[in-house]
Amino acid sequence: MAREAEEQALLSTEIVNRGVEPSGPDAGSPTFSVRVRRRLPDFLQSVNLKYVRLGYRYMLSHGVYLATIPVIVLVCGAEVGSLSRDELWRKVWDEATYDLATVLAFLAVLAFTISVYIMSRPRPIYLIDFATYKPPEELKVSKAEFIDLARKSGKFDEESLAFQSRLLAKSGIGDESYMPRCVFQPDANCATMKEGRAEASAAMFAALDELFDKCRVRPKDVGVLVVNCSLFNPTPSLSAMIVNHYKMRGNILSYNLGGMGCSAGVISIDLARDMLQASGAGLAVVVSTEAVSFTWYAGKRRSMLIPNAFFRAGCAAVLLSNRRRDFHRAKYQLEHIVRTHKGADDRSFRSVYQEEDEQRIKGLAISRDLVEVGGHALKTNITTLGPLVLPFSEQLLFFAGVLFRHLYPSKTSSAQVAGEADSAAAAPYIPDFKRAFEHFCMHAASRDVLEHLQRNLGLRDADLEASRAALHRFGNTSSSSIWYELAYLEAKGRVRRGDRVWQLAFGSGFKCNSAVWRAVRRVRRPSRSPWLDCVDQYPARMDA
């Protein structure tokens, strides 16, 4: 059966118009024929073969060095090895003649070359500190209270309430997440500009106040500002609201990203990095948030009720710098950002889609294909990220497995059909990312998503502790969730100098983005954090 499926995948059909039949019983009628052709597999779109393409790209871009350096080392080694120590000393000092002009010229060329090399290198990007927003206690809502308030609002029938209750029960969210109370107001539209501005400004300004105070930075010192909020995009923009509130300088480079989903936090970091490198602005602030009142849906379509059960209030503000003098006070250095966009595929594009239902009620529809679409995006992303972070031994094992599967596809297919044991042996080798990273901050979308990530990446329960804790305590806070997870790791005192942190986020479009940070010093337990009052209760609290 597997062989037949492979053969069918290599066949393409084409309907050919043969024109009008000139004679016979069908004279005067148009005729068509179906032409079946065999086509080659589309190897270039294979996710696994990206390792091969990356290897070739590296070899071509560094071919001169790879070819010449070994030759130079061999020649110099053979020449030096044929001389004794006395002969080598005599050749360097006795037989060579030096004059002051030659020495000065050599030193000047050497100094110029080193200066050009240092100046042409991109400056490192440092994360000085970040702040995560803890909403006020009056916005805290338990799962039972959520259903009770939703029922009292009069916006849902009993079937819709029962569906949301089942989602909450298996969501992985605890009883202390936060939601704006406007969504539960009876017979009222919560997605108004007034409510959106009030919710966004409360979250953003609280996070920024804490950030500026912790880093001892004046708002006017910031040269780049990037704000991302997927569904709430007013005019003037959220970034303009921040500039106005803090009276920032007039030449600030401000950007507002909208509609980019839960992965927009990594995209904002990438944009801020590029702006710092291009402008030399010095300091950049990234703000990641979401307006829950604009994700709320008061209709009956089940695919659009899903966000109600998962999205919660949250915000994160991050201070970045490309000034070398900030190294001593920075926490992390940015090493890699890998972005994957699957928007060319229609299923991926519509997997998270904002639209109106039959009653023209606006909401965010979640497709049944979301998990599968996310899996494909994850494969592409980690296959691109792997060569940048994995040890050579892991890359070699993975490359060998990919090569075997493509050279002997019949053996792997027959092994998969033969049975579970053979199927496991024929399965592709999954690199051990625990050898590349000490800490994992996976987007806390839901319990099911985290379980799929753990299974597909071969991670331990301890590796996803921060993600599960953030989901349980704060819910799905969209693009800021990866920062609540990093704040959890810091509150636990687990981040040490040299540790590598992998932030992985998914978003509409469909996108999968990774950011890799390296701790430049041991990160001590912070004095201000949304976790301080409850971090000691985790992870035991999640099992209660």
Side-chain angles (χ1 to χ4, degrees):
M1 294 293 294
R3 186 64 178 175
E4 292 177 3
E6 291 179 3
E7 290 293 331
Q8 291 178 4
L10 297 179
L11 299 178
S12 63
T13 58
E14 179 183 5
I15 299 177
V16 181
N17 187 353
R18 301 177 64 93
V20 179
E21 187 70 25
S23 60
D26 298 326
S29 60
T31 59
F32 301 87
S33 63
V34 179
R35 181 181 298 167
V36 180
R37 292 179 174 176
R38 184 180 179 85
R39 62 187 178 190
L40 290 174
D42 193 358
F43 291 111
L44 292 179
Q45 295 301 322
S46 169
V47 173
N48 291 336
L49 282 180
K50 279 198 171 183
Y51 267 102
V52 183
R53 299 211 305 276
L54 284 169
Y56 278 122
R57 187 182 307 166
Y58 180 86
M59 291 179 63
L60 290 174
S61 60
H62 298 81
V64 175
Y65 304 105
L66 294 174
T68 57
I69 290 178
V71 175
I72 295 174
V73 171
L74 286 174
V75 171
C76 294
E79 178 67 23
V80 173
S82 63
L83 300 175
S84 64
R85 182 183 300 177
D86 294 337
E87 292 174 339
L88 181 61
W89 183 264
R90 189 166 52 253
K91 279 183 173 290
V92 172
W93 293 106
D94 296 345
E95 297 182 7
T97 57
Y98 302 98
D99 57 69
L100 183 60
T102 303
V103 173
L104 292 177
F106 172 77
L107 293 177
V109 171
L110 180 62
F112 177 77
T113 304
I114 294 175
S115 301
V116 170
Y117 172 73
I118 293 175
M119 294 176 64
S120 62
R121 289 182 60 193
R123 289 188 176 186
I125 300 298
Y126 302 115
L127 191 160
I128 297 178
D129 211 335
F130 65 96
T132 46
Y133 168 60
K134 185 179 180 180
E137 289 297 308
E138 58 265 23
L139 299 185
K140 188 178 292 185
V141 59
S142 66
K143 287 179 285 189
E145 188 180 5
F146 178 99
I147 298 299
D148 185 53
L149 291 173
R151 179 178 286 109
K152 291 179 179 178
S153 70
K155 299 176 182 178
F156 304 99
D157 57 22
E158 287 301 320
E159 186 178 353
S160 299
L161 289 170
F163 177 70
Q164 293 180 81
S165 180
R166 291 195 299 271
L167 289 177
L168 284 170
K170 61 180 182 180
S171 65
I173 300 175
D175 289 327
E176 292 187 328
S177 59
Y178 302 89
M179 291 198 70
R181 283 297 187 267
C182 64
V183 300
F184 298 116
Q185 293 177 359
D187 302 322
N189 177 22
C190 62
T192 63
M193 300 304 294
K194 180 180 179 181
E195 294 290 353
R197 283 195 174 95
E199 181 185 353
S201 60
M204 294 189 305
F205 298 157
L208 285 169
D209 287 344
E210 180 181 336
L211 180 71
F212 291 140
D213 187 50
K214 287 200 301 186
C215 299
R216 299 180 181 178
V217 170
R218 300 180 306 166
K220 287 190 176 182
D221 294 334
V222 177
V224 177
L225 173 64
V226 183
V227 180
N228 67 268
C229 182
S230 188
L231 294 180
F232 180 56
N233 295 284
T235 300
S237 65
L238 296 178
S239 59
M241 288 171 56
I242 293 175
V243 171
N244 175 261
H245 180 79
Y246 290 99
K247 309 304 178 187
M248 292 179 161
R249 64 196 198 194
N251 63 344
I252 189 172
L253 303 176
S254 65
Y255 301 89
N256 201 95
L257 305 182
M260 307 201 78
C262 301
S263 67
V266 177
I267 298 173
S268 298
I269 294 292
D270 190 25
L271 177 59
R273 176 189 66 173
D274 291 343
M275 291 300 100
L276 286 176
Q277 299 288 13
S279 65
L283 295 177
V285 167
V286 172
V287 179
S288 298
T289 188
E290 189 57 80
V292 179
S293 56
F294 275 70
T295 67
W296 189 255
Y297 170 70
K300 299 180 180 180
R301 190 191 293 183
R302 290 195 170 188
S303 64
M304 302 172 76
L305 286 169
I306 296 175
N308 289 1
F310 291 97
F311 284 111
R312 297 293 185 269
C315 180
V318 184
L319 181 64
L320 304 176
S321 172
N322 68 341
R323 303 183 302 194
R324 299 188 189 278
R325 66 175 182 269
D326 287 328
F327 170 81
H328 298 288
R329 65 170 181 153
K331 287 185 174 181
Y332 307 94
Q333 180 176 335
L334 181 62
E335 292 204 332
H336 305 288
I337 288 182
V338 175
R339 294 169 55 181
T340 300
H341 203 309
K342 289 289 186 178
D345 176 65
D346 290 339
R347 284 203 312 160
S348 300
F349 177 72
R350 296 190 64 90
S351 60
V352 181
Y353 202 79
Q354 188 181 23
E355 58 184 350
E356 293 87 10
D357 64 5
E358 295 76 10
Q359 285 75 41
R360 302 187 66 81
I361 302 176
K362 186 183 297 183
L364 197 63
I366 307 297
S367 168
R368 293 177 180 270
D369 301 325
L370 182 62
V371 174
E372 181 183 353
V373 163
H376 290 307
L378 174 65
K379 287 180 183 178
T380 304
N381 189 267
I382 65 175
T383 308
T384 307
L385 178 68
L388 302 175
V389 298
L390 286 170
F392 180 73
S393 58
E394 289 294 316
Q395 298 187 44
L396 191 62
L397 288 171
F398 184 83
F399 176 77
V402 172
L403 195 62
F404 178 80
R405 291 175 63 84
H406 284 277
L407 290 178
Y408 304 102
S410 58
K411 293 185 179 181
T412 55
S413 299
S414 60
Q416 290 173 355
V417 175
E420 292 186 1
D422 291 336
S423 178
Y429 177 76
I430 299 177
D432 185 4
F433 280 94
K434 297 187 293 294
R435 297 186 61 188
F437 306 108
E438 284 74 32
H439 308 289
F440 298 84
C441 297
M442 306 294 183
H443 171 49
S446 69
R447 177 188 291 168
D448 287 344
V449 170
L450 293 178
E451 288 177 353
H452 277 87
L453 283 172
Q454 180 176 355
R455 184 166 55 252
N456 291 334
L457 295 177
L459 301 178
R460 304 162 300 185
D461 289 342
D463 296 325
L464 290 183
E465 179 186 321
S467 300
R468 289 195 172 99
L471 178 65
H472 184 272
R473 177 63 179 86
F474 294 99
N476 182 348
T477 56
S478 188
S479 57
S480 63
S481 66
I482 54 178
W483 298 107
Y484 283 90
E485 294 160 22
L486 186 56
Y488 175 85
L489 295 171
E490 291 187 357
K492 284 285 189 179
R494 295 178 180 172
V495 183
R496 304 181 184 277
R497 180 178 180 180
D499 283 1
R500 294 154 297 180
V501 181
W502 181 16
Q503 291 181 321
L504 178 70
F506 302 90
S508 58
F510 190 85
K511 297 179 286 293
C512 177
N513 301 320
S514 293
V516 179
W517 304 89
R518 181 182 292 274
V520 298
R521 59 180 170 88
R522 180 179 180 181
V523 180
R524 300 186 181 277
R525 189 168 180 171
S527 58
R528 282 183 288 182
S529 171
W531 291 99
L532 291 184
D533 62 340
C534 62
V535 69
D536 295 330
Q537 303 172 21
Y538 286 90
R541 191 173 182 178
M542 295 184 288
D543 301 327

